[in-house]
């Protein structure tokens, strides 16, 4: 996966790609680089994304360290491949997690991993993110809201009668 294992990359839009194919000059603005200092522990079931338009980032970059080497070992890389990997990133000064103050970031954010909530967000409106524990209530609300309010206009009681969804109140084994 790109932006994993120390590789930085991001896509360009159609206009930029077309200009590049036609040999036209292309100017990219240097983006702000925000350092994020992670501390604490993730809750059970939480994941951190490497690309998240929900928070306005083009990409996220996690430096390589001993945990990365353990991953390479666990996924069957040879000692020679791991040695080359470590030697390359060490020679570039990119092996290990930078200490606070080592890099001149545009901004630094302190982030407690314990505050991460498992959630869902659609690709069209990522700002409408829902915490997973709130999903059932949101589903019922949207199901019964009118079409004018972006709902389905169905009574919530209809969910209890339908044995086809996770919102059914009867246990799976009780279905005919």
């Amino acid at each position: 996966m790109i932006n994993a294992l120390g590789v930085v990359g991001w896509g360009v839009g159609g206009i930029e790609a077309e200009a590049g194919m036609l040999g036209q000059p292309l100017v990219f603005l240097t983006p702000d680089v925000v350092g994020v200092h992670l501390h604490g522990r993730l809750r059970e079931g939480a994941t951190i994304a490497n690309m998240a338009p929900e928070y306005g980032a083009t990409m996220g970059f996690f430096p390589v360290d001993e945990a990365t080497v353990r991953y390479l070992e666990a996924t069957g890389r040879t000692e020679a491949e791991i040695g080359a990997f470590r030697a390359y990133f060490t020679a570039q000064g990119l092996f290990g997690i930078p200490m606070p103050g080592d890099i001149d970031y545009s901004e630094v954010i302190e982030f407690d991993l314990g505050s991460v909530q498992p959630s869902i967000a659609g690709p069209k409106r990522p700002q409408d993110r829902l915490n997973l524990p709130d999903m059932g209530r949101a589903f019922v609300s949207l199901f019964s809201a009118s079409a004018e309010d972006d709902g389905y206009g169905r009574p919530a009681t209809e969910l209890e009668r339908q044995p086809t969804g996770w919102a059914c109140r009867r246990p799976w084994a009780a279905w005919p």
Side-chain angles (χ1 to χ4, degrees):
M1 175 187 288
I2 197 154
N3 299 330
L5 302 178
V7 176
V8 174
W10 60 89
V12 296
I15 293 172
E16 293 87 358
E18 183 179 335
M21 289 186 304
L22 297 174
Q24 297 298 312
L26 201 52
V27 177
F28 286 97
L29 297 175
T30 305
D32 287 338
V33 178
V34 178
V36 181
H37 178 241
L38 303 175
H39 55 88
R41 274 186 90 85
L42 283 175
R43 298 176 196 201
E44 184 74 27
T47 301
I48 296 202
N50 72 330
M51 179 187 146
E54 294 87 356
Y55 61 84
T58 302
M59 52 81 61
F61 175 76
F62 294 86
V64 298
D65 60 2
E66 291 300 327
T68 312
V69 171
R70 286 193 303 274
Y71 167 79
L72 293 173
E73 291 168 343
T75 55
R77 297 337 193 266
T78 67
E79 286 186 34
E81 290 170 328
I82 293 169
F85 176 87
R86 184 192 300 271
Y88 173 81
F89 281 97
T90 300
Q92 298 297 321
L94 296 172
F95 190 87
I97 306 298
M99 298 302 294
D102 283 353
I103 298 176
D104 184 21
Y105 294 108
S106 304
E107 178 183 355
V108 176
I109 298 172
E110 295 290 326
F111 189 81
D112 177 12
L113 292 170
S115 69
V116 173
Q117 293 270 343
S119 62
I120 58 171
K124 288 190 176 183
R125 293 186 48 86
Q127 67 271 24
D128 291 340
R129 177 183 137 317
L130 288 172
N131 287 334
L132 214 46
D134 300 333
M135 188 179 150
R137 190 171 38 255
F139 180 84
V140 171
S141 174
L142 286 171
F143 187 78
S144 58
S146 68
E148 294 81 30
D149 293 326
D150 295 327
Y152 291 92
R154 310 298 298 204
T157 56
E158 196 170 306
L159 289 172
E160 296 174 9
R161 293 190 313 238
Q162 301 295 323
T164 57
W166 58 266
C168 179
R169 296 182 195 269
R170 296 190 303 163
W172 297 98
W175 288 2

